[in-house]
Amino acid sequence: MSIRSIDDLEVEGRRVFVRVDFNVPLANGEVADDARIRAALPTLTRLLERGAKLVVASHLGRPKGKPKPEYSLEPVAARLAELLGVDEVVLPDDCIGDGARKVVSDLREGGVVLLENLRFHEGEEKNDPAFAKELAALADVYVNDAFGAAHRAHASVCALPQLMEERAAGLLMQAELAALGRIQDDPPRPYYAVLGGAKVSDKIAVIEALMKRVDGLFIGGAMANTFLAARGFELGKSLVETDKLPLARTLLQKADAAGIAVHLPVDLRVADSTSATSGEVVTVDDVSTDVMALDIGPATVQRYGSILAKAACIFWNGPMGLFENEAFAEGTFGIARQIAASPAFSVVGGGDSVAAVNRTGLASSFGHVSTGGGASLEFLEGRKLPGVEALR
Ligand code: ADP
Ligand code: MG
């Protein structure tokens, strides 16, 4: 069954429940990065223009089923009101119950309610039908624009839409599904994947899935350390998942057998600690016992870049180094620049990877910047996302 879009819904004068992903970083009681709020604005403004009454809902952090003031969506409501240019976004202090029902029944056309953190109730993460029923009582129509939460079978994205007669994907959700669907089903070729980040173990399933689809894999970050160690290089004090060496060897063998090139770094930026203020570039066969690899080196960036320049499609997940420390950011930023400059259709996913791309200011040169880290990886693993299936 196909998924409807918000333009297929009759929304004028009706209460529209919009599940968004407002799981934003907070600092000193304020929204530190409002990218996720901005990402939902096209859907919210389109619905408001068409005379909807908005009942917006999200989770924030991990309050573990209990109300905790530090996870209140209050700062988000304030920022949302500013971004929407409305006088007020009403925030009842609970997402269900009499308070929420009262606020929603007082809503006028063009009005916006933001429900308090869904995860203040255990029922959310348990996909509890009774909790979903309480949410369902607050709206006539359901829209999911929270791609970042689509891989979780939680009540607001799974049980709830199934209780609603009319449901649709928001514009952000549609854009995510279109971009990821394109690279999954019919990628222009050559199609390359660039993978990095902290651990091989986080990403085994996606590496295996991508191996069946891509024309080459480019590995960086701490993940590369484990692959290099599997190929027999000495990595000193670097982060290496020693228990994953046999697995890394198996993955390399599988790629060989399938004729897929797996590119590993040829040089690394090393230092004696993660807080070092500078690093030294060495070739991969020259890492001494007292240092750790914290970034890929310039020769690697150049090598990867020269092949990526000829790509027709690129998927990138995982920073190439400890980019949070400026001294080890050049590998990640260099790869970001190379992908941005490539004419390929490029998709970047992953919380840290997207943060890195945003820091380079090059996000607009990517084909698609995914708002869903885990969700984008599960999609590319070929798994069905509960929050997407529930919209059918
Ligand atoms: P994403 O969120 O994009 O999926 P990950 O969470 O898998 O990415 O990995 C990001 C983290 O990996 C970053 O915090 C980065 O500092 C860290 N990292 C990458 N390379 C290294 C390295 N060589 N040594 C230590 N940490 C690294
Ligand atoms: Mg991460």
Side-chain angles (χ1 to χ4, degrees):
M1 234 175 17
S2 66
I3 296 175
R4 295 211 282 171
S5 99
I6 54 172
D7 292 332
D8 302 328
L9 299 175
E10 194 58 65
V11 298
E12 196 180 339
R14 299 177 86 194
R15 299 166 304 161
V16 183
F17 188 103
V18 190
R19 175 55 157 106
V20 293
D21 179 5
F22 285 172
N23 185 25
V24 295
L26 299 177
N28 308 317
E30 281 185 41
V31 174
D33 178 351
D34 63 7
R36 286 187 169 162
I37 306 176
R38 288 176 185 275
L41 292 179
T43 294
L44 300 179
T45 48
R46 176 96 65 109
L47 289 167
L48 286 175
E49 280 162 14
R50 293 180 53 216
K53 302 171 177 179
L54 294 188
V55 181
V56 183
S58 178
H59 71 283
L60 176 69
R62 295 178 191 273
K64 306 235 167 84
K66 290 194 188 64
K68 293 203 180 121
E70 65 270 34
Y71 294 112
S72 169
L73 282 164
E74 208 174 324
V76 177
R79 188 78 191 105
L80 178 62
E82 278 171 30
L83 290 169
L84 284 173
V86 298
D87 291 339
E88 192 185 24
V89 168
V90 191
L91 183 93
D93 51 13
D94 194 357
C95 61
I96 55 172
D98 292 342
R101 274 199 293 274
K102 168 89 175 66
V103 167
V104 169
S105 72
D106 289 346
L107 254 184
R108 285 166 310 182
E109 277 182 28
V112 186
V113 166
L114 175 64
L115 298 177
E116 188 51 283
N117 197 337
L118 293 162
R119 289 193 188 166
F120 283 179
H121 289 266
E122 272 187 343
E124 169 63 357
E125 290 181 75
K126 290 193 168 146
N127 200 22
D128 174 21
F131 177 66
K133 212 170 151 198
E134 296 246 20
L135 292 174
L138 300 174
D140 307 301
V141 187
Y142 176 89
V143 171
N144 190 347
D145 213 21
F147 179 71
H151 58 314
R152 311 252 188 240
H154 291 172
S156 63
V157 301
C158 194
L160 171 60
Q162 286 160 327
L163 294 174
M164 306 289 291
E165 226 160 272
E166 292 179 58
R167 47 187 183 262
L171 301 172
L172 173 64
M173 175 73 87
Q174 280 186 315
E176 294 274 7
L177 296 176
L180 291 165
R182 181 172 170 203
I183 65 172
Q184 180 77 342
D185 301 332
D186 189 19
R189 296 201 179 264
Y191 167 27
Y192 298 122
V194 181
L195 295 174
K199 290 181 181 165
V200 176
S201 48
D202 288 346
K203 306 208 172 143
I204 298 162
V206 78
I207 297 172
E208 291 200 312
L210 286 170
M211 254 182 205
K212 299 190 184 115
R213 299 186 186 270
V214 299
D215 299 297
L217 279 174
F218 295 81
I219 311 281
M223 178 191 281
N225 298 341
T226 302
F227 280 107
L228 286 167
R231 286 231 168 119
F233 291 100
E234 299 289 340
L235 273 296
K237 291 198 298 178
S238 306
L239 195 64
V240 171
E241 290 173 275
T242 40
D243 59 326
K244 293 290 176 294
L245 289 175
L247 173 82
R249 277 186 208 107
T250 310
L251 289 173
L252 290 170
Q253 278 160 5
K254 279 190 191 170
D256 265 352
I260 303 295
V262 179
H263 303 272
L264 297 181
V266 291
D267 62 345
L268 298 162
R269 198 175 291 273
V270 302
D272 57 9
S273 90
T274 53
S275 53
T277 51
S278 70
E280 187 196 346
V281 175
V282 298
T283 55
V284 283
D285 54 3
D286 197 22
V287 179
S288 58
T289 51
D290 55 344
V291 296
M292 52 180 87
L294 295 171
D295 196 9
I296 58 173
T300 305
V301 173
Q302 227 253 315
R303 226 177 123 107
Y304 286 10
S306 69
I307 309 175
L308 292 173
K310 291 176 234 142
C313 186
I314 301 171
F315 174 69
W316 179 22
N317 170 275
M320 297 288 102
L322 187 87
F323 77 99
E324 296 90 341
N325 179 341
E326 216 178 305
F328 308 104
E330 196 41 45
T332 301
F333 292 170
I335 290 295
R337 284 193 289 270
Q338 305 267 21
I339 297 176
S342 159
F345 177 65
S346 55
V347 176
V348 57
D352 295 295
S353 313
V354 169
V357 168
N358 285 334
R359 275 186 45 196
T360 63
L362 292 169
S364 63
S365 302
F366 280 72
H368 180 73
V369 177
S370 180
T371 54
S376 65
L377 294 183
E378 289 199 16
F379 186 102
L380 294 180
E381 283 166 27
R383 286 161 66 170
K384 293 212 182 305
L385 308 183
V388 175
E389 295 313 303
L391 292 175
R392 291 187 197 283

